[in-house]
Amino acid sequence: MATSRAPSQPAATDAAGGSRLWRPPWVGILTCVLMFVGVGVGHAVMTFIEDGLGRDLTYPVSIFLGLGGMILLWYGVKSKSESFATWTGFFAAIIVWMTWVEFFYMYYGRKNFGMLPRLHEPVVGSPTGEPEYMIMAATIGVLLTMCGFYLFDKDTRCNMFVWLQDRMGLREGLGPSTKTAKDRNYAIITFMETFYVTWFMYAWNLLIFDPSIVGTGQSAFLAEAGTCVLSIVWGGFCFSRLLKYRRTSTALRYAIPTANILWINAEIFSHWGLLTEVWVEPYQYLPEVSLICGAFAVMAALIVYAPKKPSETGERQGN
Amino acid sequence: MATMRLWIAGAILLGGAAAQGEVRLREGMGGVADIGATRCDYYAYIHPNGPTGFNQSVLYWLEGYVHARTGQPLDAFLAGVPDGGRWTFDRIGQHVLDYCTANPAATVADGVVDLWKRLGGGPAAPAG
């Protein structure tokens, strides 16, 4: 659900500063790695919150943490700076997703409804499906309904939806977009983009790990391997477009879906035992997780302090 | 007639073989098929992933055990036990969890039997 169209990007040769770093392909590479690492950081932060507060306290506190995310979004929506709006929209969505979705589902599944996790084996092994994920899997219908809104919205600028609108012959019926760049609020756009992409990827992941849908053994492996191929092709295509980006704010927004699509490989490789998800057990892998968090902070700082076009800082509207 | 007998004998044999198989939950379901047979160390490990549900499973197991031993529903049994009213849903679940944490090599069934003794019930039924 990237919100900016790449074709306008290569033309933006008047990008900020004369630095060689802030040119294609480095802007795209940096933002993609940043967002990819950011998913791992998000996992680690959730574990830190759970362990720090304890599960019983996490549930009520998450109400207020989510509210804090919405207040952050409020500041972003009010801002004239596209860069600030993009960052606040992104962080607000991550906070709201973690607290009002994941922790709420955790409360309802584990505590309120009395659901039990799926277990890999009857007597040994880690749970393969936590109650919150079983609830989340049931939201696929709502997810697809919302997808209909983006698909049939004439003001959408997501490349994928615009492509689908073209293929479905919708462009004429929908008519021209009523919004120009200066009408667009980048905080709420980034917020919904981050939120929806995270939700979509979770649902996809849960679908291919669901033994009652894909079965077990060879059929499950085929679903997982097929997903790997699809995500590499899809994510690779997005990444190839991202490499052409020059404006950091636009690149950040496009990197969100790109990194999330590619992230599904990390989940599958972990499921296959090819890599250890250190971010899920941050206390056990503290040096590694510290390095990941540090890398995220450094890269985020680089993006924040990168030279920007006036349109990104709010000095001049438009793009 | 002889063919029919052969079919019946075959069906009994197949049924017997199936009955001897491991009880498993349908794919996709949550929980364990036999909570009583679950080892305590594993139970204590997975309990945080569904505390209310696991406590409920233990409650069902206790209700079956009490009914088998006394012929009474759990509430009726607790009514005749000193401090019986103090044994709430959460407290029953916590007792078995505490037992399992302290006795990792035991089973959840052992934890329920421990609770049964704590409630003033008789000695545990002989194994087997």
Side-chain angles (χ1 to χ4, degrees):
Chain A
M1 234 183 63
T3 54
S4 296
R5 305 189 65 176
S8 65
Q9 291 305 308
T13 49
D14 60 336
S19 167
R20 286 175 184 272
L21 177 64
W22 301 109
R23 285 180 182 174
W26 302 112
V27 172
I29 292 171
L30 186 66
T31 50
C32 188
V33 173
L34 172 74
M35 287 301 165
F36 194 83
V37 168
V39 183
V41 172
H43 281 81
V45 168
M46 271 199 74
T47 307
F48 283 132
I49 293 173
E50 269 185 87
D51 287 357
L53 296 175
R55 285 218 173 96
D56 286 340
L57 188 57
T58 296
Y59 302 137
V61 168
S62 66
I63 299 170
F64 301 101
L65 289 175
L67 196 61
M70 294 306 279
I71 292 169
L72 183 65
L73 178 63
W74 177 30
Y75 278 101
V77 168
K78 288 198 303 179
S79 172
K80 296 275 185 203
S81 163
E82 182 186 336
S83 175
F84 180 76
T86 299
W87 277 111
T88 50
F90 168 71
F91 280 117
I94 295 292
I95 293 168
V96 169
W97 177 264
M98 281 196 297
T99 55
W100 285 3
V101 177
E102 294 216 45
F103 285 140
F104 277 23
Y105 283 6
M106 205 181 273
Y107 165 74
Y108 275 103
R110 297 184 187 201
K111 191 100 177 166
N112 194 1
F113 296 159
M115 292 170 67
L116 293 169
R118 279 175 177 155
L119 303 168
H120 189 58
E121 294 292 335
V123 288
V124 290
S126 304
T128 60
E130 311 286 14
E132 57 271 23
Y133 297 134
M134 293 162 81
I135 297 176
M136 201 178 291
T139 65
I140 288 178
V142 187
L143 176 85
L144 294 176
T145 306
M146 268 187 75
C147 192
F149 169 78
Y150 292 115
L151 180 61
F152 299 120
D153 178 18
K154 69 176 176 180
D155 290 322
T156 188
R157 291 186 70 190
C158 167
N159 296 309
M160 188 186 76
F161 287 122
V162 170
W163 182 81
L164 285 171
Q165 286 175 352
D166 286 340
R167 293 297 171 282
M168 293 168 72
L170 287 168
R171 297 307 304 170
E172 193 180 348
L174 290 172
S177 173
T178 50
K179 289 182 180 172
T180 61
K182 68 178 179 182
D183 296 324
R184 293 158 62 77
N185 189 291
Y186 290 103
I188 193 67
I189 286 171
T190 314
F191 177 83
M192 284 311 296
E193 178 187 22
T194 308
F195 190 91
Y196 195 81
V197 163
T198 307
W199 188 9
F200 187 92
M201 292 305 151
Y202 255 110
W204 184 6
N205 229 324
L206 294 169
L207 202 64
I208 57 151
F209 288 149
D210 192 330
S212 60
I213 293 174
V214 299
T216 54
Q218 193 178 15
S219 60
F221 175 76
L222 285 174
E224 290 155 12
T227 289
C228 273
V229 172
L230 182 59
S231 78
I232 289 169
V233 170
W234 187 9
F237 171 74
C238 292
F239 184 65
S240 71
R241 292 173 64 93
L242 185 59
L243 293 178
K244 298 170 188 165
Y245 279 67
R246 185 177 292 267
R247 294 173 83 252
T248 52
S249 303
T250 324
L252 265 179
R253 290 196 297 277
Y254 198 76
I256 293 165
T258 306
N260 273 277
I261 292 165
L262 292 171
W263 180 265
I264 207 162
N265 292 292
E267 298 286 351
I268 293 171
F269 289 171
S270 163
H271 185 68
W272 288 347
L274 297 178
L275 68 85
T276 305
E277 286 191 282
V278 294
W279 39 85
V280 178
E281 297 173 86
Y283 293 107
Q284 195 178 339
Y285 300 98
L286 204 54
E288 291 90 342
V289 172
S290 302
L291 190 67
I292 289 170
C293 292
F296 178 81
V298 169
M299 286 188 286
L302 279 172
I303 297 285
V304 166
Y305 291 108
K308 292 179 178 61
K309 293 172 71 177
S311 61
E312 288 183 86
T313 57
E315 291 164 36
R316 177 171 62 82
Q317 287 293 303
N319 169 27
Chain B
M1 195 63 180
T3 313
M4 179 66 80
R5 283 182 187 149
L6 208 62
W7 275 109
I8 292 170
I12 290 169
L13 281 172
L14 280 173
Q20 284 170 14
E22 188 184 7
V23 178
R24 294 184 75 95
L25 297 177
R26 182 174 52 74
E27 288 293 352
M29 285 180 67
V32 290
D34 189 346
I35 191 76
T38 306
R39 264 180 64 109
C40 270
D41 50 357
Y42 185 58
Y43 180 72
Y45 167 66
I46 58 172
H47 189 272
N49 295 296
T52 307
F54 282 118
N55 287 352
Q56 187 182 27
S57 297
V58 162
L59 179 69
Y60 290 162
W61 212 95
L62 173 67
E63 285 167 341
Y65 188 80
V66 167
H67 193 271
R69 297 297 305 262
T70 66
Q72 289 182 305
L74 182 60
D75 276 337
F77 172 73
L78 288 174
V81 169
D83 298 335
R86 290 176 55 203
W87 288 95
T88 60
F89 174 82
D90 288 330
R91 191 160 175 225
I92 288 169
Q94 191 62 46
H95 180 91
V96 174
L97 180 63
D98 290 345
Y99 176 89
C100 277
T101 307
N103 301 278
T107 63
V108 171
D110 295 330
V112 173
V113 171
D114 181 72
L115 176 59
W116 161 259
K117 290 178 189 167
R118 172 74 178 73
L119 292 169

